[in-house]
Amino acid sequence: MGSDVSLSKAVRANLLSLQNTAGMMDKTQNRLATGNKVNSALDNPSSFFTASALNSRAADMSNLLNSMASGIKVIEAANNGITALTKNLESMQSTLRQARQDKSFQTKSFEVNDNTKINLGGGQFGIEDADISLATATVAGQKAQITTQATTAYLGPQSGTGTATGAGARSVISGLGGLGSNDVFTVAGRTVTLGAGAQTSATIKTAIEGALAGHASTAGKYTVSEGTGDNAGQIIIETVDTSAPAAAITFGAGSTAATKGSTTFNFSAITSSVTAGGQPIPTGATFEDFVANLEAGAEDGNYTVTKDATTKQITLTSTQWGGAAPTVTGVPVNAPADPGTPAQTEFTLGLYNDGGTRKVSADQDLTIAGATGLVSLTRGMTGADVKAALEADTNINSLYTVAVDATTLEVTLTEKANNGLAAPTVTSSKAAATPASLGGTGGVDYTTATDGDFSAFNGSVITLDDGNGNTSTYTFTNAAAGQAAALATALGTNGFTLTASATGLAISRADGKNFTIATTGGINGSMGLGTATTTTTNGVEAGLSGAPTLTPGDADVPAVDGQTITPAQAGASVATIAAEEATFTVSYGGKTAEISIGGVKGGVGSAVNALDIKNWQDATVAAVNADLEAAGIADVEAKFDADGKFQLIAKTAEAKTLAVSGADATALFGTNGVNTGVAEKSQLNATKTVDKFVELINRDHAGKVRASNDNGKLRIENLSTQDLDIGVDLNGNDAVTALKIDGNTVRANLSKQFNELRDQLDKLGDDASFNGINLLRGDKLKITFNESGTSSIDIQAKDANGNVRGINASNLGVDSLIAEDLDTDEKIDAFLTKLSSALTELRSQASAFGSNLSSVENRQSFTKNMINTLETGAANLTLADTNEEAANLLALQTRQQLSSSALSMASQQDQAVLQLLR
């Protein structure tokens, strides 16, 4: 708001100057009062906010100093605890050394003679008393010994047709259905050609035996047998020489070799949840992780894994020949880009008409390539029965769809998945009959127009010809009730059999010969023969009718990355099985040896001669002894006794334990797999009775007691902290005098002192805390070094391996004592060694804490200097120079006075007008 008073120019100018001077004086006085030249963001925004940030960081770091100071005290408290623990351990060492130096063992003396018997109990003997007499001074030694438990001679692992392994290496042929008429394969380099017709395990065995026996390089070197039990349906080819490799077998012309089903997919196609062979498989983060997880589940999933690290393709293959492809979930199955043609086989079975139902005409075995074995059919099976019999075969059912025409008994096997399989070949053990049977039990069925009524046949004539010029004729004349019986009588000659019933008449021959039926009159239509003369086959066993029709399959074309399933091809396969070995572990004198023993040569079902047994025994003994010596067990040897039993015997009589363990130890040696020898005790050298007892006791019980001659009496010194009980039967007549020798009370009391000091270890450790943190208890001390928390140190007590643990008696390996622990100097030395190790560990921990303390103190000093630097930098931006500001204030005061004088002079000029008005 403007003033209503008009001032002259000079007055106004002087007034403004005076106001400016007053404002500057106010600012200068404020700087002098606060000491700052920047008191707010209005004074200097850049300096104000920079100084504020520096001061804030300095304040944060000041707070960290408190944490560091507290942490230093925690470490110092822990160091104080370690120092106290060290002194305590040194006191415990001193206690044990004092016990070791003490020899204040108590003694007792008593008379003895040659018949005296002495019993020692208590003391270091404990509950196992020692009986001492001159009569037992000399003892014959006994060598530790272990022998096979069987009553018969031991010949190593044996072979059998039902055992999984044999003494020799085996090649086992399975899936014999893959081997058929005139097939060719090789065994141990020898060509085996099978005979014509269907093959059985017996014919295949015979063919292999003949091929091997027919050449000098293989004759007598293998046994061939048909498997039994779990090996049923297999051929076992075993080496006679147990060290020889298994026979190599290659399937050739005509034979169908089994394959293994497999599943292939790409790593890129897997989802988050995958199973393989029924096993859940973690997908992992990488291709390598996933493959490793697949391999971990391979054994339980019954598959093997192959991979391509470049393309990341993975293939899982069944472990069984003819085994279905491993089932994989979590991977999409490829849809075929180009559907293929399924493989197909068609064949027709011989049949007969049984009351309008077509049935199989003869018992027979079908050999179908890929089947698990022979498919057996029996006479009288219907089409449905045949279908069920084929589908019962595991491989046929998994690979093919089975269809059977109930009227023609034509069987069709069609591949389920278009995988390009070969159409399976089919043969029958029965020859085909021509023509096929036409009804009844291999004969012809006549069906009457009305049940039991033959009136429709009146005037008709039926003639049967047996093929040898013998005929039987009957003319139908009426429909009398007895006509069927009369017909049977008239035609029941020349080998014909007639069976009449209410529904018709069946004519057949029991001898299986063909016969001709000639008819005239209306009987033709009722018979349904269609012609006046019909030949039928009666009783001839019929197999397949004509050769099977085979249509090969054309495989689908799969997509690139998804799951591609390759089914197994059923057929013949070979498993190679290494020679069996009996294995066990021998232990003696603190050393162990792994032993393996093979079987004597001979093979399955072969007799073993004496020379082979002798050679095998010599080789076995040499091999086992070599293994024992290699393991450092030079004082045990292997042998065969006179009965052929295998033995392990110590070479010298000594009180050491011989033991066997491991896979076959119990089967070979029974439950007596541990035997301890007895050391020989030699004749005494002393001549006097007392000296003999002294020598005997010091020889057999040194360290437990000490014997000496006390002027013709036997003196016993009890080397224990426990009381020693002595029973003296002076004349050996059971008149026993009981004596007692007190234990070493000095050592016993020192054991109590030791335990008291040990208890202090844990108490000292528990008290070494500061502000609730105790590093000796295993607490963790975390000290933060910067305001952002990115720099810190964790301090904890750790062992030599870096494992976190508290420091107490248990972790230091310092155990409590009982008085008996101080009985011998050796036991005391063992405890002293533990204390030395504990002291070393304490010193190591103290060094670690010292290093931590140095780091914290160094960081504390660094932080203090940083705080000073930050605060100084902030002050440089905001603090005022008081000397400068004082000079400025003096100058402004002078200016103010001059401005006041000038203003006064300007005002006086305006007052001159008043003089004119007077």
Side-chain angles (χ1 to χ4, degrees), residues 42-219:
L42 297 177
D43 296 335
N44 187 330
S46 176
S47 296
F48 178 80
F49 287 114
T50 301
S52 295
L54 293 175
N55 284 327
S56 295
R57 186 183 176 200
D60 291 339
M61 296 184 76
S62 295
N63 293 332
L64 293 176
L65 283 177
N66 296 331
S67 175
M68 293 180 198
S70 178
I72 288 172
K73 293 303 179 185
V74 171
I75 298 173
E76 289 177 349
N79 185 64
N80 293 337
I82 290 177
T83 300
L85 290 174
T86 300
K87 292 180 179 179
N88 199 78
L89 284 174
E90 290 172 347
S91 297
M92 295 168 71
Q93 280 183 321
S94 177
T95 300
L96 290 180
R97 292 190 181 104
Q98 183 179 349
R100 197 182 192 287
Q101 292 172 358
D102 179 76
K103 305 297 180 183
S104 56
F105 297 108
Q106 303 300 306
T107 66
K108 252 190 180 50
S109 300
F110 50 89
E111 293 183 352
V112 293
N113 58 48
D114 288 342
N115 297 320
T116 300
K117 296 178 181 180
I118 303 172
N119 176 269
L120 301 179
Q124 289 194 49
F125 293 94
I127 61 174
E128 296 183 1
D129 294 358
D131 293 319
I132 303 168
S133 68
L134 295 181
T136 60
T138 302
V139 177
Q142 182 178 335
K143 298 177 180 179
Q145 175 178 319
I146 297 177
T147 304
T148 51
Q149 66 172 342
T151 57
T152 57
Y154 175 62
L155 298 177
Q158 300 297 294
S159 301
T161 57
T163 58
T165 57
R170 291 182 167 188
S171 295
V172 180
I173 304 177
S174 302
L176 302 184
L179 301 175
S181 177
N182 300 318
D183 285 356
V184 178
F185 57 97
T186 63
V187 176
R190 307 272 58 85
T191 300
V192 179
T193 303
L194 301 180
Q199 298 298 307
T200 65
S201 59
T203 60
I204 296 172
K205 169 182 176 293
T206 301
I208 296 174
E209 286 178 328
L212 294 176
H215 197 279
S217 65
T218 53

Side-chain angles (χ1 to χ4, degrees), residues 776-788:
L776 300 190
R777 281 198 309 242
D779 296 345
K780 181 168 73 173
L781 172 63
K782 183 179 181 68
I783 302 177
T784 303
F785 288 147
N786 64 8
E787 66 277 13
S788 63

